[in-house]
Structures are given as structure tokens and as C-alpha cells.
Amino acid sequence: MDLARLWPALLLPLAAALDFRYHHQEGMEAFLKSVARNYSSITHLHSVGKSVRGRNLWVLVVGQFPKEHRVGIPEFKYVANMHGDETVGRELLLHLIDYLVSRYGKDVEVTQLVNSTRIHIMPSMNPDGFEAVRKPDCYYSNGRENHNQYDLNRNFPDAFEYNNATRQPETRAVMAWLRAEPFVLSANLHGGALVASYPFDNGAPATGTSHSRSLTPDDDVFQHLAHTYASRNPNMTKPDQCKNKMNFPNGVTNGYSWYPLQGGMQDYNYVWAQCFEITLELSCCKYPREEKLPYFWNDNKASLIEYIKQVHLGIKGQVFDQNKNPLPNVIVEVQDRKHICPFRTNKFGEYYLLLLPGSYEINVTVPGHEPHLTKVVIPEKSQHFSALKKNFVLPFQGQLESLLGSNPPCPMIPLYKMSSSHSAATKPSLFLFLLILLHIFFK
């Protein structure tokens, strides 16, 4: 590694190590603000919204360019404490922040990871619930829901059935955050079991529910992601760790196979935000004693770091017209794994496709025009901390601005219910046009 990129980080101040205890809102805010102040060159602290009771939903961004997106640098996020009584993830993310900033410039792996990735960390999505817990319990406490008594992990739009639950401030804030940042990979941290769970959480016959599962078009990647995390946690892969007769082979499960869930955040991320997300259940006891926290950190530290690295799987690049102008809203997908809501380029003309090593045919389509097909090979050993880079230049010269600018996103309605089969998405422009008309008509 170029040591010239390391030496400025050596000037970063040394901060006192974060202690292993539960940090309530005031203590968590003080820690986050201290990190943002002491490591201002690689961090940015901001709130994406407020809870019902007005508490900030803090996000700390760690990266070489923490304040804004840079082309070619993928966006990653961790979210914890959706259920206020599930507390381990909240503390693990605070310690992950401490680990990343304190080792930046000293540890080559951490430095490369921070320089090549924009890492967003939300320690608590439900601060009201956390503060509401008066008597911690391993199984259920009154802080699970938000202040309005809504389960936030049942509060998102659902791709399989109508979710009529009133959208909560915390949910709306996260949805707006997902629209603002082109996230590629994510995980949400929970408690009450030891398993890495991957989408879908809800399902339809088209996704395999007749076989007691619900699989995405990217099932191979999701299984890889779940195994990546579970295999580095020394307890997650062991059978029946929670003594409740729930055995998850190799510490992973398909969400629907475990139990169907409507309105979950990980399905929403994948369908409407183009962000691959899995759910990490990190402790048998939802609110364990403080003295157990160092053990949870030791068990999860390697997994947390290795999982972030997976944002560099596959292929990335930009789509341009012949004048080298980046083209937003262009559909970019693998030919044989089309999404019910097609993956599109962001406002910078960027795309990111998480793919395992292999040969693929990439379909680049401007709605209303013929697709451009290109074969690519993802090598077994990908570039260090970077996906394979492949740009596309389309045979257009600026006449697409009105079409691409007016192309609406997928409506937040049960897309699978509106489609008789997933194959309807093979003609995404026509399919989405019909869905949007139905949405407007029945709204």
C-alpha cells in the first residue's frame, strides 16, 4: 500500500477507548460527537430525522470522503436497535466506529476499507424504545416498539401484500435516507437468536413459497453474504446455541423459511432501494447483562469487518452517451436475474451489481429502446477493495434527457401481487407503466 496515503492519518488524535456498557441517548450522542470532532477528516455526523419523541436518528459516516458521495466509491450501511429492547447491535456499532477510527492509518486493512468505502452507521433507529425499557428482559420488554407502539420492522411498504400500518416518523426518515444515498449493501442488527437471515421475508408463489421459502433473483449472492458473516462468528454456526430447538444449518436461514414477515426493512431495501440487506440476529438474549458485551464484540468483530468488504463484490461502472454525459435511470441488470423493480443507474450514471465470480450477460436498457447486451467475466480473485469496473457508452447524443428525467420510480405497492408471475418483469418498461397507471387510478 502507498504509505503516502497513511501518514496523514497518523496525525489523528488518540481518543480514550470506548467502555463496554450500555450507552443511553445522551452518552451515545456524546460519543458520536466526540468522534466527529476528533476524526473530522474521515467522519461526518448527521441526523436523518427524529423519533416520535424528538430524539435524533444519528448516522456517523466513516470514509475518505465522508460528507458526500464520490463516483466509484460504494455506499454501505449498518442499522441497529430497530427494536428498542434488542440492544447488542447498538453497542457493537459504537465499538465498530471506535475500531475503525482508532485504527485508521495504523492498520492497513482498516485504512484501505475506509479509503475505498463510504460506511454509514446508525446505532439506533428506535431510541425512544431503548429509553422506554425499564426492566431489561431476555425475551420481551416494553421498548420493542416505538413510542406510538408500532413495530418498525413491520412498518415498511411490502412488495407482496398491502401494508396498511401508519408510516412512523422513524420509518419515513429511513425511507428518505435510502432515497438520498445510493446504498449498495447493508445489514440490520437484531437480537433474540443467532443467525444471519436473508431475503425475502415475505413471499408469493413466484418466489417459491410453495417450497416454504422465498428467494430473490440474487439468491446465490445473498447466501454468500449470510455465510460470510455467520462463518466468522464462532457461535453462530453451532447448532441450538439458544437452547430453543431452532437449528439453522451453518448459521443462516432464508427469512420466509424461518417465519413470514410483512413490512420488513430488508425486503424494502432490496426491492425499492437497490440495496442488498440481510438481518443479523446476534444474541440469544435480547437485552443481556453489560458484562457480556466484550464477548459479543469479540465474537462479531471479524464478521462486521468482513461483511463490509462484500460491498466490493461483482461489477460497477457508469453509463454514458456518446458525448460522455452520464445517464441516470438506465436499467442495468444481469440478463437472467431481472428484478421486479429494475435496478437503474443513479443520478451520476453509476451502477453497482453485487455478483459472485462467473460469466454474465449484462443488459443495459434505456426504457423504450432496444437493450444493449455485453458479456462480462467476474474473476475468481477480484481487485482488492474494488469491484470489476466496466463503463458503457450508448449510441445516443443527448436526446434522452426528457425521457430519463421523467421516468418514474416503481410505485410502492405490492408489485408481486400485481404481477401474475415474476416473468412479467422481463419487460420492465411496459410492466411498470401498467403498474403506475393502476396505482394512479386506484390511489
Side-chain angles (χ1 to χ4, degrees):
M1 181 181 178
D2 185 1
L3 292 177
R5 299 181 70 183
L6 275 174
W7 76 263
L10 298 176
L11 302 177
L12 291 171
L14 293 174
L18 181 70
D19 52 350
F20 285 99
R21 62 177 177 83
Y22 287 117
H23 295 80
H24 286 264
Q25 187 75 2
E26 184 177 352
M28 182 181 74
E29 288 183 355
F31 168 72
L32 294 174
K33 290 177 180 179
S34 173
V35 169
R37 182 173 60 251
N38 290 328
Y39 298 91
S40 59
S41 63
I42 59 166
T43 65
H44 172 58
L45 179 64
H46 66 111
S47 171
V48 299
K50 291 185 181 293
S51 68
V52 174
R53 301 204 65 187
R55 294 184 172 96
N56 280 304
L57 305 180
W58 292 110
V59 173
L60 188 89
V61 185
V62 183
Q64 190 178 17
F65 306 104
K67 293 186 178 180
E68 60 184 4
H69 177 73
R70 294 296 179 98
V71 171
I73 296 183
E75 308 280 348
F76 175 93
K77 66 180 169 70
Y78 275 129
V79 175
N81 206 210
M82 282 187 83
H83 296 147
D85 63 338
E86 297 174 6
T87 56
V88 171
R90 176 186 174 111
E91 296 304 319
L92 289 184
L93 292 190
L94 295 180
H95 282 276
L96 177 64
I97 289 169
D98 185 55
Y99 181 82
L100 292 174
V101 299
S102 64
R103 298 184 73 85
Y104 181 77
K106 306 175 184 67
D107 182 297
V108 172
E109 180 185 62
V110 169
T111 304
Q112 289 180 323
L113 189 60
V114 170
N115 285 343
S116 61
T117 319
R118 195 159 173 250
I119 305 165
H120 304 244
I121 300 176
M122 178 187 279
S124 182
M125 183 180 163
N126 185 7
D128 293 351
F130 180 81
E131 298 299 332
V133 177
R134 292 289 175 261
K135 188 176 180 182
D137 187 85
C138 275
Y139 304 104
Y140 180 83
S141 300
N142 61 350
R144 175 183 173 88
E145 293 83 11
N146 76 342
H147 184 68
N148 287 339
Q149 298 303 303
Y150 279 84
D151 186 327
L152 297 179
N153 204 30
R154 310 290 190 278
N155 197 236
F156 284 83
D158 193 277
F160 300 94
E161 53 189 318
Y162 285 99
N163 185 1
N164 296 320
T166 302
R167 236 36 104 229
Q168 294 301 292
E170 299 90 345
T171 309
R172 294 197 303 269
V174 168
M175 291 170 65
W177 182 35
L178 293 178
R179 290 192 297 271
E181 301 284 1
F183 289 112
V184 178
L185 180 62
S186 174
N188 68 84
L189 281 57
H190 286 258
L194 268 178
V195 68
S197 174
Y198 59 88
F200 285 119
D201 274 333
N202 208 346
T207 61
T209 55
S210 59
H211 300 286
S212 300
R213 63 188 185 188
S214 185
L215 306 182
T216 72
D218 298 291
D219 186 63
D220 58 338
V221 179
F222 274 116
Q223 289 201 40
H224 166 81
L225 293 170
H227 280 286
T228 295
Y229 195 96
S231 64
R232 286 163 178 80
N233 182 309
N235 291 314
M236 195 172 281
T237 54
K238 296 177 182 177
D240 200 21
Q241 280 290 290
C242 296
K243 309 300 181 188
N244 54 11
K245 297 184 180 178
M246 286 195 300
N247 287 319
F248 302 108
N250 301 311
V252 306
T253 186
N254 172 248
Y256 184 91
S257 295
W258 185 8
Y259 61 91
L261 185 159
Q262 182 195 53
M265 186 166 70
Q266 74 173 8
D267 286 6
Y268 178 83
N269 267 267
Y270 178 68
V271 172
W272 281 290
Q274 301 184 189
C275 177
F276 286 49
E277 177 166 294
I278 67 173
T279 298
L280 301 171
E281 301 278 354
L282 301 178
S283 60
C284 299
C285 179
K286 293 186 176 186
Y287 203 135
R289 299 190 305 273
E290 285 184 331
E291 55 264 32
K292 297 287 186 181
L293 293 176
Y295 300 100
F296 288 115
W297 171 244
N298 290 334
D299 285 351
N300 287 279
K301 178 174 66 176
S303 295
L304 289 166
I305 295 296
E306 192 64 27
Y307 187 77
I308 299 175
K309 293 180 188 177
Q310 306 312 302
V311 77
H312 298 288
L313 283 175
I315 185 172
K316 67 180 181 181
Q318 288 176 280
V319 179
F320 300 97
D321 65 15
Q322 287 190 329
N323 296 325
K324 300 298 183 184
N325 297 310
L327 297 176
N329 288 322
V330 175
I331 295 169
V332 182
E333 299 193 302
V334 174
Q335 180 69 357
D336 62 352
R337 55 176 72 192
K338 300 196 182 260
H339 303 91
I340 194 77
C341 182
F343 279 26
R344 299 171 181 266
T345 54
N346 62 26
K347 65 181 180 180
F348 304 102
E350 283 181 294
Y351 74 92
Y352 293 86
L353 296 178
L354 296 183
L355 297 168
L356 301 183
S359 179
Y360 301 92
E361 190 169 41
I362 306 299
N363 181 338
V364 182
T365 302
V366 173
H369 293 76
E370 289 298 311
H372 295 259
L373 303 178
T374 304
K375 288 187 177 180
V376 299
V377 176
I378 310 296
E380 284 291 335
K381 200 164 187 179
S382 61
Q383 304 170 53
H384 203 42
F385 292 101
S386 176
L388 177 70
K389 187 174 181 180
K390 173 69 176 176
N391 292 333
F392 297 96
V393 179
L394 300 184
F396 301 105
Q397 293 186 342
Q399 68 268 39
L400 298 173
E401 290 183 8
S402 60
L403 173 65
L404 294 174
S406 63
N407 198 15
C410 293
M412 292 184 189
I413 58 177
L415 299 176
Y416 281 95
K417 185 182 283 290
M418 303 299 291
S419 169
S420 58
S421 72
H422 198 188
S423 62
T426 59
K427 295 183 178 178
S429 56
L430 176 60
F431 178 56
L432 289 176
F433 177 71
L434 293 173
L435 282 178
I436 292 164
L437 283 181
L438 285 169
H439 180 54
I440 293 171
F441 183 76
F442 289 108
K443 190 172 180 181

